[in-house]
Amino acid sequence: MPSAEELYRRYREKDQVLRQVRKQIKHNRQERPVRQRDWTPDDDEDWEDMEVARSERVLPRGEQERRKAMWDMALKRLAEEEQSGEKGQAEAGPALAAEERTTGPRRGVVVEVSTGLCRVDVQGEIVLCTVRGSLSVAESGFTNVVAVGDEVTVLLDGAGRGVVQSVLPRRSALTRPDVFSPHLQQVIVANADQLLAVASWRNPALWPELLDRYLIAAERHSLQSIICLNKVDLADSRQECLAALEPYTRLGYRTVLASAVTGEGVAELRELLGGRTTILAGLSGVGKSSLLSAVQPGLKLRIAEVSARRHEGRHTTTQVNLLKLEMGGQVVDTPGIREFGLSGLHRSELARFYPEIAAVAGCRFANCSHIHEPGCAVRMAVREGRLSAVRYDSYCKIRKTLPET
Ligand code: GDP
Ligand code: ZN
């Protein structure tokens, strides 16, 4: 039985195959005219454009199938290599293998998922697993059996591979409409506790609408939210940062002012992340990786890949990475949350996620949208400064992007 380190190294090497395929996909795409998205806060169309179903429709004919085939091919190659490697080891160390076989099912946490395969952390050892065929998706109501973060039982085969036997009940599930069957849900991350929404004071500037989308997404998936405002070293004063976050602190959100440059807020983040599973959200460039490596030196997000995928923008798989923290807990890095967080939400439900708006009484019409109606108490409150104009503004912007019914 090779050491955990050795196994991990081998899996990483095999990851190169997948990376090459991704590179190839990206390369191929660059030769065609691609609609480039410019991620600026003022672009009202962004959200609709990122909506999964829509984005899939703009794929060139056959592109989706072609990518899927390439992906499958890469995985098949991975699995074959793994299997032949396995034979070699079995011959080399039959005694150890036999001993391992007698240990029975082990508990583990899924750290990475690709079609039909996953990597499971079994007491610190990363094991490539298939999923038992009889595990059914139908009863779970989701289109995937295992997701990153799932606690599973694994039967090890003694040669560094395993089979997922069962998935333990989930405490939470971050879901999105399935890419291929949008009426069904796909679990992106299981068992997360909280969401860390990272924004930056400048470069890029704080974008309240995006922040609100994260908060709504978290609320809808029963996750606690923490708001981290990074790059406060670039602000003229702490006061202006605190003032920008005031509507959120007033609502009871935990907020952290941070700077990866000066180290401000890093200890606080460390404390908030310890022992929990945290989904990381935030625009590219706000300083997520800088903050994480300040929290734990050496911890790396796969930024390059993530941003490549986002510019590609039409992906069929959502890359999710689980990063283990030394102090316990883990951080989940997924580019997906901004695009699926609000799927299925209707206009009339939005005010529910703005408690300060929902709390305003006295609109002339009971079903007031607070946008244009005469006698709207919400707009009155905004005019009089009793309600945050910034929050109201993002309410209006988000509402516009939601379906009527
Ligand atoms: P990510 O895309 O969210 O992971 O962002 P990065 O961590 O890659 O940071 C993007 C850029 O912002 C880099 O050039 C960092 O050096 C810079 N940066 C990150 N944190 C801070 C900060 O607190 N203050 C300042 N001034 N720059 C920062
Ligand atoms: Zn109203």
Side-chain angles (χ1 to χ4, degrees):
M1 185 69 190
S3 71
E5 251 171 31
E6 167 64 11
L7 265 176
Y8 190 65
R9 192 188 59 75
R10 271 196 270 142
Y11 292 147
R12 285 282 150 233
E13 268 173 19
K14 273 150 201 161
D15 242 350
Q16 294 294 336
V17 182
L18 298 180
R19 282 200 201 141
Q20 268 165 17
V21 170
R22 270 184 226 134
K23 237 201 226 149
Q24 183 68 38
I25 289 169
K26 203 179 152 215
H27 173 79
N28 289 353
R29 283 195 61 80
Q30 274 165 355
E31 288 172 1
R32 298 189 189 101
V34 185
R35 278 205 299 151
Q36 281 289 349
R37 297 306 308 174
D38 180 16
W39 291 95
T40 52
D42 298 327
D43 194 338
D44 266 346
E45 290 294 304
D46 266 350
W47 298 108
E48 284 172 38
D49 195 72
M50 278 308 288
E51 201 225 311
V52 176
R54 243 177 88 148
S55 64
E56 288 311 313
R57 259 183 271 134
V58 302
L59 278 175
R61 186 181 289 276
E63 172 70 4
Q64 192 168 301
E65 290 74 10
R66 194 181 64 82
R67 283 199 213 172
K68 193 163 181 289
M70 282 176 82
W71 187 257
D72 284 347
M73 215 164 65
L75 287 171
K76 223 173 266 162
R77 220 151 70 197
L78 179 71
E80 278 165 15
E81 278 174 38
E82 200 61 43
Q83 217 154 32
S84 56
E86 176 190 322
K87 269 187 215 128
Q89 277 153 33
E91 283 154 21
L96 272 177
E99 182 187 285
E100 190 71 37
R101 251 193 292 274
T102 60
T103 56
R106 308 264 295 274
R107 283 275 284 269
V109 175
V110 177
V111 294
E112 207 174 325
V113 176
S114 312
T115 330
L117 291 173
C118 60
R119 290 198 167 94
V120 180
D121 182 330
V122 181
Q123 282 152 4
E125 184 175 329
I126 307 297
V127 183
L128 186 70
C129 294
T130 52
V131 178
R132 201 182 75 189
S134 60
L135 274 181
S136 152
V137 271
E139 52 209 73
S140 70
F142 299 111
T143 55
N144 51 335
V145 179
V146 291
V148 165
D150 262 326
E151 287 168 13
V152 294
T153 58
V154 173
L155 210 55
L156 299 175
D157 70 353
R161 293 222 330 166
V163 180
V164 172
Q165 296 283 303
S166 67
V167 180
L168 305 183
R170 293 176 177 133
R171 294 188 301 278
S172 73
L174 182 65
T175 60
R176 75 163 192 189
D178 187 83
V179 169
F180 300 106
S181 325
H183 56 290
L184 297 174
Q185 294 286 309
Q186 180 189 1
V187 182
I188 306 297
V189 184
N191 299 324
D193 302 303
Q194 57 190 15
L195 178 120
L196 178 65
V198 183
S200 54
W201 178 251
R202 206 182 279 163
N203 310 333
L206 179 64
W207 181 4
E209 183 194 344
L210 178 63
L211 179 54
D212 287 0
R213 282 177 180 269
Y214 289 145
L215 299 179
I216 296 168
E219 177 93 29
R220 295 180 80 210
H221 292 97
S222 311
L223 301 168
Q224 293 271 343
S225 292
I226 301 165
I227 300 167
C228 174
L229 183 60
N230 188 35
K231 305 197 189 183
V232 296
D233 55 289
L234 300 179
D236 293 332
S237 70
R238 278 182 73 81
Q239 270 59 45
E240 59 180 356
C241 299
L242 289 170
L245 293 182
E246 197 271 339
Y248 300 97
T249 39
R250 206 197 302 179
L251 286 169
Y253 284 107
R254 178 71 187 255
T255 58
V256 180
L257 296 186
S259 167
V261 168
T262 67
E264 179 174 352
V266 170
E268 203 177 338
L269 282 177
R270 198 175 289 136
E271 191 180 306
L272 288 167
L273 300 183
R276 307 206 177 106
T277 298
T278 307
I279 294 174
L280 194 62
L283 268 185
S284 174
V286 296
K288 295 181 298 299
S289 9
S290 308
L291 282 174
L292 275 192
S293 48
V295 163
Q296 180 175 317
L299 201 63
K300 280 209 169 46
L301 292 184
R302 293 205 210 152
I303 335 161
E305 262 175 68
V306 169
S307 48
R309 297 183 73 81
R310 191 162 59 226
H311 287 299
E312 194 180 277
R314 315 285 178 231
H315 52 265
T316 51
T317 342
T318 297
Q319 178 75 26
V320 180
N321 295 306
L322 205 72
L323 306 166
K324 261 180 119 166
L325 299 172
E326 283 159 3
M327 67 249 187
Q330 46 219 350
V331 172
V332 185
D333 170 26
T334 168
I337 188 156
R338 57 184 285 161
E339 74 200 58
F340 56 75
L342 267 55
S343 68
L345 188 67
H346 297 141
R347 284 187 178 181
S348 58
E349 299 166 307
L350 183 60
R352 219 161 20 97
F353 297 95
Y354 283 83
E356 73 274 50
I357 291 180
V360 174
C363 291
R364 187 178 304 165
F365 303 102
N367 61 350
C368 187
S369 71
H370 317 308
I371 301 284
H372 54 77
E373 293 88 342
C376 173
V378 167
R379 284 190 297 144
M380 174 72 84
V382 174
R383 271 199 302 276
E384 292 175 355
R386 287 179 283 117
L387 256 186
S388 156
V390 173
R391 286 273 289 174
Y392 175 70
D393 182 57
S394 80
Y395 166 84
C396 296
K397 283 182 176 152
I398 294 174
R399 194 175 185 282
K400 258 203 311 204
T401 68
L402 298 179
E404 198 78 59
T405 50

